[in-house]
Amino acid sequence: MAKEKVCLAYSGGLDTSCILAWLIEKGYAVVCFMADVGQEEDFEAAKKKALKIGAEKVYVEDLRREFVEELCFPAIQCNAVYEGVYLLGTSLARPVIARSQIAVAQKENCVAVSHGCTGKGNDQVRFELAFYALQPSIKVIAPWRLPEFYTRFVGRNDLLDYAAQQNIPVTSTKSKPWSMDENLAHCSYEAGILEDPNTTPPDDMWKLTTSPASAPSQPEDFTVTFEAGIPTKLTTSSGTTTTGPLELFLAANALARRHGIGRIDIVENRFIGIKSRGCYETPGLTILWVAHMDLEGLTLDREVRALRDQFATVGWSRCLYNGLYFSPEREYLERAVVAAQEGVTGQVRCRAFKGHVSILGRSSDTANLYDMSESSMDEIGAFEPSDTTGFIAVQAIRLKKYGAMKADKGERL
């Protein structure tokens, strides 16, 4: 009788290598799936490693362009951010990974998919909600939620011991046990010594970016061109121009990385209710996000921006963070964002310097809502200052009533 087949999301790291061996130990035939979403990974070595452990097949799917075009750029259009600081680097990659894994599982007639997400994290929710939306009948094997697995492997040291027993080579060690997740948008670090929120991350932890203290002593200027809120061109002060979604994103990453831009260290609220300390490097996405937000000041109507900020930005970001990308509400919110971005076209001149990106200027030939004559303090222009008297009087009506009420109660404003 043929063994039941499982499609495992495989990274080549400690957890998924041990899970691969464990699934084989449990009697499954395993097809490994690897997603290239821009992480610096030796995919050929990981493929050989999986086959050596016992995988029947290994798929390596290049999802970088899809990741940038379908997730990263819409996130920029939306000014997506979670809890005011996290640019959703991990969350953004999950939908394209899940969609591709389900496609491989269907191709291989797998009865189940499996992953290495922990039972306390957000990714288990993100992946599994995506799996069930994409293929409602799919079975999910989540080892870190199975007592027979997590009682056997209580922590990373147990996994390291198991890997040694199974002759599985790993890069994680007992002296540096933090976990990493990397993609084109960012790299995240958590666990190990980082679980103490008052522990300063060691300098050698940061993988992507130059330390701001060691970054070049000369700033680097660049210009980002947007069309309908989407980055379309990146031009540096040296005259290099990059177009094309993936190529532009890679160029933005390279520029931001050498200037130490995009590091954050936060404690966030996970969807499942646990607070988590995470360190993130998000270089290229940070400078594109900052430039886009600035251009909106010039090109986006005040009320449209307010509605987008209050509802679409918050709602879309929450959908991505909580694993609800394949949901009707995300589709609805994204349509609203696209409509709001129709006029966000122009150029933003920026400067990268020692961990920071600053704005030097912005312009738009097609959607400029800024009138320099109206705004000037040196000329009246088409604006009639006396009109403001009536405007203030109308705005003051309810405040006068409120002030009078407080006075009658003897309460201090």
Side-chain angles (χ1 to χ4, degrees):
M1 183 177 178
K3 295 180 179 179
E4 288 190 326
K5 195 178 291 187
V6 175
C7 181
L8 169 66
Y10 183 71
S11 68
L14 174 64
D15 286 32
T16 56
S17 292
C18 290
I19 288 171
L20 169 57
W22 179 81
L23 286 169
I24 295 170
E25 187 181 290
K26 298 298 291 182
Y28 291 105
V30 183
V31 174
C32 285
F33 162 77
M34 299 186 71
D36 180 358
V37 284
Q39 67 271 41
E40 295 178 357
E41 179 75 59
D42 187 340
F43 290 101
E44 190 58 35
K47 182 176 181 179
K48 290 179 180 178
K49 180 177 177 179
L51 292 171
K52 183 179 179 181
I53 294 170
E56 292 197 350
K57 290 183 182 179
V58 180
Y59 285 79
V60 180
E61 302 296 315
D62 186 351
L63 307 177
R64 294 175 301 161
R65 191 171 299 277
E66 180 182 342
F67 177 40
V68 172
E69 293 179 352
E70 297 189 22
L71 274 300
C72 293
F73 279 3
I76 292 168
Q77 281 185 305
C78 185
N79 291 339
V81 64
Y82 182 72
E83 296 188 338
V85 65
Y86 174 44
L87 298 188
L88 301 167
T90 298
S91 315
L92 291 171
R94 294 333 188 201
V96 293
I97 295 172
R99 184 162 53 197
S100 187
Q101 185 177 356
I102 286 294
V104 169
Q106 291 171 339
K107 181 179 178 180
E108 289 291 329
N109 296 314
C110 295
V111 300
V113 291
S114 184
H115 59 74
C117 304
T118 71
K120 293 184 178 181
N122 290 315
D123 275 345
Q124 59 181 334
V125 180
R126 294 168 182 152
F127 278 122
E128 293 183 35
L129 291 181
F131 292 151
Y132 291 131
L134 292 161
Q135 186 177 331
S137 62
I138 197 68
K139 176 184 175 183
V140 177
I141 300 174
W144 283 116
R145 296 205 307 270
L146 298 176
E148 64 175 301
F149 188 88
Y150 67 70
T151 56
R152 179 178 178 184
F153 305 106
V154 177
R156 296 186 69 80
N157 288 343
D158 291 329
L159 289 173
L160 289 166
D161 292 339
Y162 181 68
Q165 295 166 13
Q166 299 292 322
N167 295 316
I168 300 171
V170 293
T171 57
S172 178
T173 66
K174 294 182 180 181
S175 61
K176 285 187 178 182
W178 58 73
S179 64
M180 297 167 50
D181 182 81
E182 183 185 357
N183 61 48
L184 198 65
H186 90 157
C187 189
S188 66
Y189 310 87
E190 61 182 10
I193 63 170
L194 301 177
E195 290 176 351
D196 180 348
N198 200 33
T199 295
T200 301
D203 291 338
D204 64 352
M205 179 194 76
W206 304 101
K207 177 183 179 183
L208 300 184
T209 57
T210 300
S211 169
S214 305
S217 57
Q218 292 298 318
E220 183 173 0
D221 295 348
F222 61 97
T223 301
V224 185
T225 300
F226 292 88
E227 293 182 12
I230 295 291
T232 57
K233 184 166 63 175
L234 177 67
T235 305
T236 66
S237 54
S238 63
T240 302
T241 297
T242 307
T243 58
L246 177 57
E247 295 75 14
L248 186 154
F249 205 91
L250 289 169
N253 266 342
L255 189 155
R257 287 173 70 165
R258 62 177 169 263
H259 290 279
I261 294 170
R263 293 184 180 186
I264 63 169
D265 178 350
I266 63 173
V267 175
E268 67 198 74
N269 290 291
R270 288 177 176 170
F271 186 28
I272 63 170
I274 297 173
K275 286 188 179 291
S276 169
R277 194 270 186 91
C279 300
Y280 302 103
E281 291 178 285
T282 316
L285 186 58
T286 294
I287 63 174
L288 297 174
W289 185 84
V290 169
H292 172 264
M293 189 179 300
D294 181 82
L295 183 61
E296 287 189 329
L298 187 70
T299 60
L300 192 57
D301 176 79
R302 180 186 72 180
E303 297 305 316
V304 172
R305 185 172 188 174
L307 287 169
R308 193 281 315 278
D309 288 348
Q310 293 171 43
F311 300 107
T313 295
V314 173
W316 195 93
S317 301
R318 187 179 293 121
C319 281
L320 265 292
Y321 189 84
N322 293 346
L324 297 170
Y325 181 81
F326 298 105
S327 68
E329 60 268 34
R330 193 277 307 170
E331 292 182 355
Y332 167 77
L333 290 165
E334 197 157 309
R335 285 193 292 268
V337 169
V338 170
Q341 293 293 295
E342 289 177 355
V344 183
T345 296
Q347 304 78 38
V348 182
R349 295 187 298 108
C350 309
R351 172 168 291 167
F353 184 58
K354 288 194 174 293
H356 298 282
V357 56
S358 54
I359 304 300
L360 303 179
R362 76 287 295 161
S363 62
S364 175
D365 297 327
T366 60
N368 192 342
L369 299 181
Y370 177 82
D371 187 320
M372 190 160 59
S373 177
E374 279 187 345
S375 300
S376 175
M377 296 296 182
D378 296 322
E379 60 177 294
I380 293 178
F383 182 80
E384 181 56 59
S386 60
D387 290 343
T388 308
T389 301
F391 175 79
I392 294 172
V394 171
Q395 293 294 318
I397 290 173
R398 68 184 184 91
L399 298 180
K400 288 180 178 180
K401 296 292 186 183
Y402 180 68
M405 179 193 71
K406 297 286 281 187
D408 288 344
K409 291 181 178 180
E411 297 177 356
R412 182 176 180 269
L413 278 171

